[in-house]
Structure formats: C-alpha cells, structure tokens
C-alpha cells in the first residue's frame, strides 16, 4: 500500500476518533467529572502513581479509574483493591491493541456510574508513542516518564511530551543508583514542551505527591 | 470506520510487509549476514546493551547497527562512537513512527556495505507493542525488558515475548534497589513463551554478557 493511501486512512481514523472524543467531553462536562489521561512507557509507574493518588484523594474526591492493557485485568485489580471503581479495557479484544481510543473509552463508560465520580483517571496502554495521537475527551493529559528510562526520551518520543499538560518524572527514589543526569532530563522536557515544567515524584517515598495533588486541584477548579 | 474494514487494512499492511521481509531475508542470506532484531520499551537499555556487545565482539565479528527512532539520530551517534557502521532510521519521516517495517529496513540497507558485515543488529523503536507485529527479515528476535519495568510486563504485553527467540532481563544491577520479584518475573516470561529462558544482563557491570555472546554465536553457527 503506497504511503499517501496509508496517511489518508490514518487521517480518517483520527477524524472518527475526534468526533467520539468530543462526545465523551460533553458527557464528562454534563456529569461534572474531571478526566485525566495518564500516558507513559510500560513500567513507567502509572498504576503505582494512581494507587498512591487514590489514597491521597480519599475523602476529598470520589475517584474512578479506567485502565487500558493489551492483556490481563491486573491493573484494574490493583486499583480496585483501593476501594474505587476500576474498569479494565483489554485492547487485544478491539484489534487496536497499542493505545486507547475515544470509542473504547466510551464503551467503558457504560460500566461506570459517572454521577458518583469527581475525578476519572484513564490509564492508557503502556506505550510512549501511539496513545499521544488519540484524544479521549479528557480535560488534561499527563505523561509519566521513569527516571530509569534515561535523559533522552523527551527528544526521542516528542509527541507524548508535546501534547501533555504535565510531565511527571517518576521513581525519583532510584536516582542515586542511576547514571541519569536530572538537569539534562529537565532541560530535554522543556525543549520539547516549554509549558510543561516537570514534576518529580516517587510514589514509593511520597516525594512530590503534594505538587501532583495541587495540580489536580487546579485542573478541577478550572473546570468548575 | 467499522472494525472489519480496519482489520482488513491491517492485514494488507502486514502482508505487504511480509513480502519485503522475505526479500530482506534473501539479501541477508546472500551476503552471509546474521541479523538480530532488538525490541523493548523506551529506556529498556537496548542501545547500552548494543554498545557493550560491540566492545565484546570486537575482533571476532564485524558488527553494524540500524537504529530506529521517531526523532533524533542520538542512538546512531552513540553506536558510531564505537567505530562500527550505524544507520539511523527516523520513523517520523515515514508516517509509520511507532515501529520499524521491512521496507524502512530495506531502504536503510542502501546505506550499509553488507559485504563488510557479519552481524547486523536492528534496534527497533522503543515500544513493547507494535514492533512485534512486523517481520523485518531477521534471523532472530530479542526482547529486552528492564527489571525496573516490573514483573507483570510479559503477561500484559505478551506478543513481543511470544515472538522473541531470547528474552533479556536488563539492568539487573538495580535489583537490590527495587521491589521486583525476580522469580515471579522469570515465571511470567516462561508462561508466555516456554522456549525463551530469560537471560539476566547488566551491561553496566558485565553480568550475563558471556551468555549473550554465546547465544549470538549459536545464532551465527545455525546460519552458516
């Protein structure tokens, strides 16, 4: 198949996705739910961040999570243990596999009572490339990059960082054991997205969690 | 676009890829070059493994590397510093972005003198999902999983592990600083691919490099 034909097909897929994303956005606005799309590589620490976040928001916001994976319902299981609604999307069943789309999120919404939710996190498939291309109807997008992944990743995978409203550098407790140059990493984030000052977090030690919870509060207050 | 139509398009793309992969395989066989496709998440340690491998193979095999990235020629720059031919494929220019395809590899071959190469490593785009679907014409496929990514990744991203001839668990020097359960991780690799006994490697300390070099020798001897 020649290149122009493939680009044309991709454009049609993205246009169809954007229409459903706009519907999702209206649904979320109508229900007064703030929605955050959480992207990142496999093992970036997305699920652990959400587990810590649920504990921090307990009592101040009703949280729910949609998790996307190619196989298994492990992440939804981890989330549900914290006593919040968790819906697993297994993308292997959709033929799409490597990312969530607005349509798969719309289907998952049928399994959630949005009237009982204040903040909905959508944990995307672990992939630093494809999820960035698909609007889900979220209010904000976060990309989680583990410090173990190296300084150059924002430059090598720019789109995820460019579409993100917030960049989280995770697993900072490991920095003393790595050769990572944090100043270089921060500079590379700023180079691809000057408005996304990186937030450094260890869900394990709690470092940076205050800043993350404050940022979530700002996103909520903007929507109200 | 309805689902059956999209599945049909994907099938056509994969069939076209397989035809070019078969041509690549004939080219490699004709030149007596052993080709290893190296897959893994962003930051799994693919480039550093190849840098250490080049040093280990110096004098016993003429190595070349094709590296795939969405943006920048950083990886080819790192490889070239070790004195071997390195060709960077920037997939952002191909509209494909998230993985290498047989056609992009075929184009890169035009920039390599295969007569002067014994072992060609193809370092795929950092992505634990999409590269696994595309045959490049290689002799063997390796998936590199950093121990920092967690025990559950083989179960959650099964295809890359199922198509791999070898699974490398990288960055093992970090194990003492992580909560990772290595026995659980090894069991999960075996569950998705019983023939791919995982090899544990730290390119930093040199642990496991002997086993990796021996495995490469086996792949070469099978081809001769």
């Amino acid at each position: 198949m020649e290149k122009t034909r493939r680009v044309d097909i991709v454009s049609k897929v993205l246009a169809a996705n954007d229409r459903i994303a706009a519907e999702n956005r209206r649904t979320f606005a109508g229900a007064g739910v703030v929605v955050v799309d959480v992207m990142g590589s496999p093992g970036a620490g997305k699920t652990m961040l959400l587990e810590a976040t649920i504990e921090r928001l307990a009592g101040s916001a009703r949280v729910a999570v949609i998790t996307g994976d190619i196989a298994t319902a492990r992440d939804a299981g981890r989330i549900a243990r914290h006593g919040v609604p968790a819906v697993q999307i297994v993308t292997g069943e959709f033929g799409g596999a490597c990312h969530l789309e607005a349509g798969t999120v719309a289907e998952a919404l049928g399994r959630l009572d949005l009237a009982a939710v204040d903040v909905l996190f959508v944990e995307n498939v672990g992939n630093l490339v494809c999820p960035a291309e698909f609007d889900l109807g979220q209010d904000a997008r976060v990309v989680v990059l583990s410090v173990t992944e190296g300084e150059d990743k924002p430059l090598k995978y720019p789109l995820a960082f460019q579409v993100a409203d917030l960049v989280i550098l995770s697993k900072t407790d490991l920095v003393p054991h790595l050769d990572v140059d944090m100043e270089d990493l921060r500079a590379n984030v700023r180079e691809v997205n000057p408005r996304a000052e990186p937030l450094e977090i260890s869900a394990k030690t709690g470092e940076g969690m205050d800043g993350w919870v404050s940022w979530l509060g700002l996103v909520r207050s903007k929507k109200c």
Side-chain angles (χ1 to χ4, degrees), chain A:
Chain A
M1 201 180 305
E2 86 279 19
K3 190 176 162 187
T4 50
R5 170 121 176 81
R6 281 177 72 173
V7 170
D8 183 48
I9 290 164
V10 170
S11 301
K12 281 184 186 163
V13 169
L14 290 175
N17 181 78
D18 284 351
R19 281 192 297 275
I20 304 171
E23 286 170 30
N24 288 352
R25 197 164 271 119
R26 281 192 292 273
T27 302
F28 297 140
V33 178
V34 168
V35 181
V36 180
D37 178 16
V38 181
M39 305 177 292
S41 301
K46 297 181 291 300
T47 311
M48 191 163 168
L49 173 68
L50 292 182
E51 290 183 272
T53 307
I54 291 163
E55 296 298 327
R56 287 293 294 260
L57 294 182
S60 65
R62 296 169 300 169
V63 173
V65 179
I66 293 174
T67 59
D69 275 301
I70 293 161
T72 85
R74 289 191 157 224
D75 283 359
R78 282 173 63 182
I79 296 293
R81 281 200 287 277
H82 296 269
V84 305
V87 176
Q88 180 79 48
I89 299 175
V90 179
T91 63
E93 297 169 1
F94 289 87
C98 63
H99 59 274
L100 292 182
E101 297 188 14
T104 47
V105 170
E107 288 190 41
L109 293 179
R111 290 183 272 157
L112 270 181
D113 175 16
L114 285 184
V117 176
D118 299 313
V119 180
L120 172 63
F121 293 103
V122 182
E123 182 185 346
N124 223 308
V125 177
N127 184 332
L128 201 49
V129 189
C130 315
E133 298 184 34
F134 291 84
D135 182 11
L136 306 178
Q138 72 286 326
D139 297 290
R141 304 180 92 173
V142 176
V143 62
V144 181
L145 178 75
S146 164
V147 294
T148 61
E149 293 179 59
E151 305 88 349
D152 56 353
K153 297 306 168 295
L155 304 179
K156 289 173 62 180
Y157 304 86
L159 186 62
F161 294 86
Q162 284 158 354
V163 302
D165 300 288
L166 180 71
V167 176
I168 289 179
L169 304 178
S170 65
K171 306 195 189 185
T172 54
D173 54 285
L174 291 174
V175 169
H177 311 296
L178 305 171
D179 298 322
V180 64
D181 180 335
M182 289 299 291
E183 205 39 68
D184 192 23
L185 174 52
R186 290 180 200 114
N188 290 340
V189 170
R190 287 187 208 108
E191 183 174 330
V192 295
N193 184 346
R195 75 187 164 86
E197 182 66 16
L199 197 59
E200 297 173 24
I201 291 185
S202 166
K204 195 170 170 177
T205 67
E207 183 200 344
M209 287 296 291
D210 288 344
W212 163 233
V213 170
S214 298
W215 182 85
L216 287 170
L218 276 178
V219 174
R220 288 181 73 189
S221 64
K222 269 189 212 162
K223 185 150 185 179
C224 297

